[in-house]
Amino acid sequence: AYYFKRVTSGRYNNVFLRDGTVHVQTPGGKTLSIDALSTGTRAQLQFSLRVSLLAHLFGGEPLFLLLDDPFLSSDKERLASLLQTLIDLLEEGWQIFYFTIDESIPDALAKIAPEKSHFLEIDEVAHKIAYGRDAGIFRQLPVHHIGEFRRERLAPVHDLEPVPLRT
């Protein structure tokens, strides 16, 4: 409930199971099943439960998260709370990889904590992989620009030569 309370700015203060269904509770004592929550609030609950579970299972040790646009359904107020929660996790030592199509996310993170936010554009990553630079995995993968990506430009996987990883 700790993370869910944080990301909802206190709108919900408890999470529990009843008859095999997840429920949340407001500070006023009103109980709602997960089915009564909006899509955005359900996504925030899922994120909160995952982080809570990981923190519990690993004794509070900092871990890493791979996130693929987990907050697309969030309004601006909740998004700010969610991003601040990510920054707080970073400060606790967590490593977070956040993949997004939403161009406002990098700007929002840079405003909250510019010293903790590092971004890579996907076409930059594709270029590094394509030409074996900076720990590239395959050589000469013919992807020139992610915006112009077409299936026929990819060589079959069995035709690619692996590049030894640097240790």
Side-chain angles (χ1 to χ4, degrees):
Y2 170 75
Y3 289 106
F4 191 53
K5 183 177 180 179
R6 279 180 63 182
V7 301
T8 62
S9 300
R11 183 169 181 179
Y12 303 98
N13 64 347
N14 197 11
V15 178
F16 59 93
L17 280 175
R18 180 189 294 159
D19 301 323
T21 303
V22 175
H23 287 75
V24 298
Q25 190 172 40
T26 66
K30 184 177 180 181
T31 299
L32 301 168
S33 77
I34 191 171
D35 297 328
L37 302 175
S38 70
T39 302
T41 304
R42 277 196 306 268
Q44 294 148 16
L45 176 60
Q46 291 168 352
F47 167 76
S48 301
L49 289 173
R50 287 180 181 126
V51 171
S52 296
L53 181 63
L54 288 170
H56 176 75
L57 288 175
F58 290 92
E61 288 292 316
L63 300 171
F64 71 92
L65 290 175
L66 294 174
L67 302 173
D68 185 6
D69 265 334
F71 311 139
L72 281 178
S73 301
S74 300
D75 60 37
K76 287 184 181 187
E77 180 183 317
R78 292 263 178 93
L79 180 60
S81 294
L82 287 159
L83 295 178
Q84 184 58 57
T85 300
L86 292 180
I87 297 300
D88 294 344
L89 290 171
L90 287 172
E91 290 173 353
E92 294 171 16
W94 289 60
Q95 293 182 26
I96 300 171
F97 298 87
Y98 191 111
F99 297 90
T100 186
I101 193 168
D102 184 348
E103 293 179 6
S104 70
I105 298 293
D107 293 336
L109 282 169
K111 285 179 186 173
I112 295 171
E115 70 286 350
K116 297 196 181 313
S117 305
H118 305 283
F119 306 100
L120 286 175
E121 295 290 331
I122 196 70
D123 56 348
E124 179 183 335
V125 174
H127 185 276
K128 288 180 180 183
I129 291 172
Y131 297 101
R133 295 185 186 137
D134 299 325
I137 297 170
F138 296 105
R139 271 192 297 238
Q140 299 173 358
L141 180 63
V143 176
H144 301 290
H145 187 276
I146 200 70
E148 299 171 4
F149 177 78
R150 298 211 192 318
R151 177 180 245 27
E152 62 270 12
R153 287 189 178 174
L154 284 177
V157 172
H158 62 274
D159 290 343
L160 297 174
E161 295 179 41
V163 173
L165 296 176
R166 297 180 200 137
T167 56

